[in-house]
Amino acid sequence: MTEDLNQMRDHMLTAIAAASGLDALDACRVEALGKQGTITLLLKTLGKMTPEERLVQGPQIQGLREAVANGIAERKATLERAALDARLASETLDMTLPADATPAGTIHPVSQVMDELAEIFADLGFAVATGPEIETDWHNFTALNIPETHPARAMHDTFYLQQGIDAKAAGTADEKTTFSLLRTHTSPVQIRTMLSQKPPIRIIAPGRTYRSDSDATHTPMFHQVEGLVIDKGITLGHLKWTLETFVKAFFERDDIVLRLRPSYFPFTEPSVEIDVGYTLVKGKRVVGGAEPDGWLEILGSGMVHRKVIEACGLDPDEWQGFAFGCGIDRLAMLKYGMDDLRPFFDGDIRWLKHYGFSSLDVPTLSGGVGA
Ligand code: PHE
């Protein structure tokens, strides 16, 4: 019997060593260790043996199983290494060769749209403001009239940071100074701007935002642009005109129809959701058209809430304003006809070649912001 097992082991190990690929190796595995494999069946015979027999046979059969399993694992590692080496050899790039053309990189559509936004709003007298992506609870929520118990907090799918959680547990967290989360929107830049600048204020704030959400139209990191105007005697009319002017310039057509829908945000009152009319062209939704076939929601906005103005140390009876927040990735998708958001952030050079822009193609109002 021992002789048989030794023979069997040699035979199997030879077959394993000779396996020329992962498929062949897997066939060896199934033959020896699969459900009906030779060794599996041998292991099953242990149950029917006398205790004396088992004492002798058990370790031998287990030893065989171990030797074969190890042989398979080793061969697998060798084959995988060889496959990787072959791939590395065939995909090599000689970095020392001189470039045969101008650089192949392109401007990402998100960067392009951000440049377009800056250009359009600069023309309306807006400066570009920024804020940190790692924020405090106070700037991201509380100062925006979203107190700790507000349901809107749960709706934001916030990524909280361990340092904030720890500080809270230790009772040392100061919500104004503990950077405890990834900002869920660009609205905290409203707060930072009002705290650091004297009104009148006119800014846009483009940048990265984060929410725990992922599908074809949501990624955990995405981009928004915030707009904020604080001045005297500002009304909803100013908001409507500004957004209409922006959307017309952005989509480069005059036959844009906006629909203002009553909505709710804790930091604006009243709040308005803005839809833009689209027309169907060969079954595809194209923004624009005097008589829309339907509506696409493009941004949230409203008159800045008194409490927000107060939280920033300003007198709401003296200063009023409007604010809006808009998804940049969605704007890019609508303007440049992409229907999946995920490839935006894959860093695949083929996608960038197809959808990217020439670095020499700086958007200008006179030359066309999207040309
Ligand atoms: N911050 C809001 C959001 O992310 C958008 C918004 C900004 C609404 C400013 C009104 C005013 O959904």
Side-chain angles (χ1 to χ4, degrees):
M1 186 65 186
T2 313
E3 214 20 62
D4 285 355
L5 288 183
N6 280 341
Q7 247 182 15
M8 197 185 279
R9 189 192 59 204
D10 291 348
H11 178 74
M12 285 177 178
L13 290 180
T14 311
I16 287 165
S20 55
L22 289 169
D23 287 346
L25 183 64
D26 202 50
C28 293
R29 183 191 60 79
V30 172
E31 204 177 309
L33 305 169
K35 260 196 178 152
Q36 299 296 321
T38 325
I39 297 176
T40 312
L41 296 180
L42 269 178
L43 283 166
K44 282 187 184 158
T45 62
L46 286 174
K48 295 188 198 92
M49 289 178 191
T50 62
E52 292 75 25
E53 278 175 333
R54 199 178 302 131
L55 211 60
V56 181
Q57 295 277 321
Q60 288 183 353
I61 297 175
Q62 287 295 356
L64 169 66
R65 192 196 59 81
E66 211 162 288
V68 169
N70 286 342
I72 290 174
E74 269 168 38
R75 182 72 189 144
K76 190 166 177 223
T78 309
L79 287 172
E80 280 173 349
R81 220 176 304 123
L84 181 62
D85 284 345
R87 223 181 116 197
L88 287 174
S90 70
E91 291 179 9
T92 125
L93 248 178
D94 187 347
M95 302 298 277
T96 64
L97 286 175
D100 60 356
T102 45
T106 59
I107 304 291
H108 195 284
V110 170
S111 303
Q112 178 77 13
V113 168
M114 283 190 183
D115 288 348
E116 293 174 17
L117 293 168
E119 176 68 16
I120 292 168
F121 279 101
D123 199 51
L124 298 175
F126 285 66
V128 172
T130 55
E133 289 168 29
I134 299 177
E135 259 301 0
T136 73
D137 230 87
W138 189 78
H139 291 85
N140 195 79
F141 291 125
T142 311
L144 288 160
N145 194 29
I146 315 177
E148 188 129 16
T149 51
H150 200 288
R153 285 213 185 193
M155 276 157 50
H156 274 224
D157 302 315
T158 312
F159 286 113
Y160 288 98
L161 303 180
Q162 194 60 45
Q163 63 194 57
I165 296 168
D166 291 346
K168 213 167 188 184
T172 56
D174 175 344
E175 65 160 6
K176 271 195 180 186
T177 54
T178 308
F179 288 84
S180 61
L181 48 83
L182 297 180
R183 68 177 180 190
T184 56
H185 50 179
T186 42
S187 299
V189 186
Q190 287 187 35
I191 304 301
R192 292 189 174 274
T193 308
M194 281 189 264
L195 287 172
S196 65
Q197 291 178 23
K198 280 209 170 75
I201 290 169
R202 274 185 234 163
I203 56 114
I204 59 163
R208 294 194 183 104
T209 47
Y210 302 84
R211 286 183 206 180
S212 179
D213 204 352
S214 190
D215 59 37
T217 52
H218 296 88
T219 48
M221 187 282 296
F222 58 106
H223 299 84
Q224 282 192 341
V225 61
E226 194 79 7
L228 176 70
V229 169
I230 300 285
D231 207 330
K232 292 180 177 172
I234 297 293
T235 70
L236 211 53
H238 296 111
L239 166 69
K240 186 176 182 223
W241 180 88
T242 305
L243 292 177
E244 219 163 59
T245 306
F246 151 59
V247 177
K248 282 180 181 169
F250 181 74
F251 288 102
E252 294 175 282
R253 48 196 292 179
D254 274 330
D255 58 348
I256 293 280
V257 189
L258 292 189
R259 182 172 77 171
L260 279 68
R261 254 184 313 114
S263 182
Y264 174 75
F265 298 101
F267 35 92
T268 46
E269 183 58 41
S271 301
V272 200
E273 215 126 25
I274 311 271
D275 300 336
V276 63
Y278 69 80
T279 34
L280 285 170
V281 180
K282 290 187 203 136
K284 270 210 150 198
R285 294 168 172 190
V286 175
V287 169
E291 281 165 37
D293 292 318
W295 303 95
L296 294 163
E297 182 185 321
I298 52 165
L299 56 88
S301 64
M303 304 307 293
V304 182
H305 199 293
R306 291 176 65 87
K307 283 197 173 168
V308 175
I309 295 177
E310 261 166 15
C312 296
L314 298 172
D315 178 357
D317 289 322
E318 188 179 358
W319 301 103
Q320 303 79 41
F322 66 79
F324 59 88
C326 177
I328 293 183
D329 315 293
R330 184 166 159 77
L331 281 184
M333 289 167 82
L334 287 175
K335 181 163 176 181
Y336 296 114
M338 308 124 180
D339 47 19
D340 194 336
L341 180 57
R342 289 165 294 195
F344 271 58
F345 310 118
D346 282 348
D348 188 324
I349 193 81
R350 292 162 300 185
W351 187 89
L352 283 167
K353 276 217 166 101
H354 184 79
Y355 286 112
F357 294 81
S358 160
S359 51
L360 301 173
D361 223 351
V362 179
T364 58
L365 281 182
S366 53
V369 283

